């Protein structure tokens, strides 16, 4: 690593008491090998005196350091809404997974089901039409568990057809078009497919003790 390694976003909001602390350049440019854990997780981060929904994508242990540094983004990259922060469970905390009884409407009928994927030949490539692009954090039900995802495009393939959304999730770089039903795909932010339920979390849900990456509540990395 060198001093050229980015240690924070180029655009900063005014810092307020209680905000997450950005990783200093000196810590991020230490010589030697560092340990990275790529693990996507929806979190909320304290910035500008308020909590913002965000995506934590990387845990990093700088060489010889006893602290973890995390990469967090809360908006499109071209807006500068990202940064490296010192992990503090009181300033960066995971959002709770969706809770409550399983929906009773079809095709769920009282049991949780994975999001309905749309065949590629029907959906087509994502991001080809600028009007379809978006940036939306969401929970997605896939492989029997809730995944932290980023929705990058949404479209209605044809009149009278449901809206679909292109979702990316996790360090394994999975991506798929899915039905944007607001049940198996639950956006957190407003810049996403229409007709969804807004999820808001103020609960003080704490991660595992600082010093180790936060695991998925399902036992898998998300």
């Amino acid at each position: 690593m060198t001093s050229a390694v980015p240690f924070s976003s180029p655009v900063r909001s005014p810092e307020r008491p209680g905000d997450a602390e950005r990783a200093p350049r000196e810590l991020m440019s230490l010589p030697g090998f560092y340990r990275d854990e790529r693990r996507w997780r929806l979190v909320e981060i304290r910035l500008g005196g308020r909590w913002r929904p965000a995506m934590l994508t990387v845990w990093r242990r700088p060489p010889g350091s006893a602290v973890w540094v995390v990469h967090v983004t809360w908006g499109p990259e071209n807006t500068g809404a990202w940064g490296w922060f010192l992990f503090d469970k009181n300033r960066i905390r995971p959002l709770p997974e969706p809770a409550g009884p399983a929906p009773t409407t079809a095709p769920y009928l009282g049991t949780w089901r994975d999001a309905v994927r749309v065949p590629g030949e029907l959906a087509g490539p994502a991001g080809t039409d600028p009007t379809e692009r978006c940036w939306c954090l969401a929970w997605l039900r896939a492989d029997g568990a809730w995944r932290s995802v980023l929705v990058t495009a949404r479209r209605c393939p044809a009149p009278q057809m449901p809206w679909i959304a292109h979702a990316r999730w996790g360090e394994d770089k999975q991506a798929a078009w899915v039905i944007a039903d607001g049940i198996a795909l639950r956006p957190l932010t407003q810049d996403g497919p229409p007709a969804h339920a807004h999820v808001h979390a103020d609960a003080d849900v704490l991660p595992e003790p600082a010093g180790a990456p936060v695991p998925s509540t399902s036992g898998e990395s998300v």
Side-chain angles (χ1 to χ4, degrees):
M1 296 180 65
T2 69
S3 58
V5 174
F7 68 101
S8 65
S9 64
V11 178
R12 296 192 181 193
S13 58
E15 295 184 0
R16 304 286 180 82
D19 281 357
E21 184 177 354
R22 294 177 183 268
R25 182 185 297 273
E26 294 77 13
L27 179 63
M28 297 299 291
S29 58
L30 290 172
F33 294 100
Y34 55 82
R35 174 186 173 189
D36 270 6
E37 296 283 348
R38 292 188 56 82
R39 192 173 297 183
W40 282 31
R41 186 62 161 86
L42 286 171
V43 299
E44 54 183 359
I45 182 171
R46 186 80 172 179
L47 291 172
R50 66 185 180 90
W51 290 100
R52 301 170 184 262
M55 183 76 80
L56 189 159
T57 58
V58 181
W59 290 83
R60 174 169 293 179
R61 178 68 70 85
S65 173
V67 301
W68 284 94
V69 176
V70 291
H71 184 274
V72 181
T73 179
W74 58 94
E77 290 184 359
N78 59 6
T79 65
W82 59 270
W84 289 95
F85 297 86
L86 299 178
F87 176 69
D88 181 336
K89 65 181 180 181
N90 295 315
R91 301 179 185 187
I92 303 173
R93 57 194 187 188
L95 288 170
E97 295 180 357
T104 57
T105 56
Y108 300 90
L109 302 178
T111 59
W112 283 112
R113 302 277 183 88
D114 287 353
V116 178
R117 301 197 187 195
V118 179
E121 56 271 20
L122 175 62
T128 54
D129 185 345
T131 64
E132 298 176 346
R133 296 173 188 168
C134 67
W135 194 94
C136 176
L137 300 173
W139 288 107
L140 175 75
R141 190 77 177 180
D143 302 322
W146 289 107
R147 308 291 176 178
S148 300
V149 304
L150 172 62
V151 175
T152 58
R154 77 281 184 270
R155 70 169 62 129
C156 186
Q160 308 305 317
M161 291 190 66
W163 281 80
I164 61 176
H166 189 262
R168 293 173 46 208
W169 63 96
E171 60 281 357
D172 46 8
K173 299 181 180 180
Q174 293 191 60
W177 283 100
V178 298
I179 301 295
D181 56 9
I183 298 176
L185 176 67
R186 296 194 173 189
L188 292 176
T189 49
Q190 295 296 334
D191 185 19
H196 66 258
H198 179 65
V199 178
H200 179 70
D202 286 327
D204 189 13
V205 180
L206 299 179
E208 292 298 310
V214 180
S216 161
T217 56
S218 63
E220 301 177 46
S221 296
V222 293

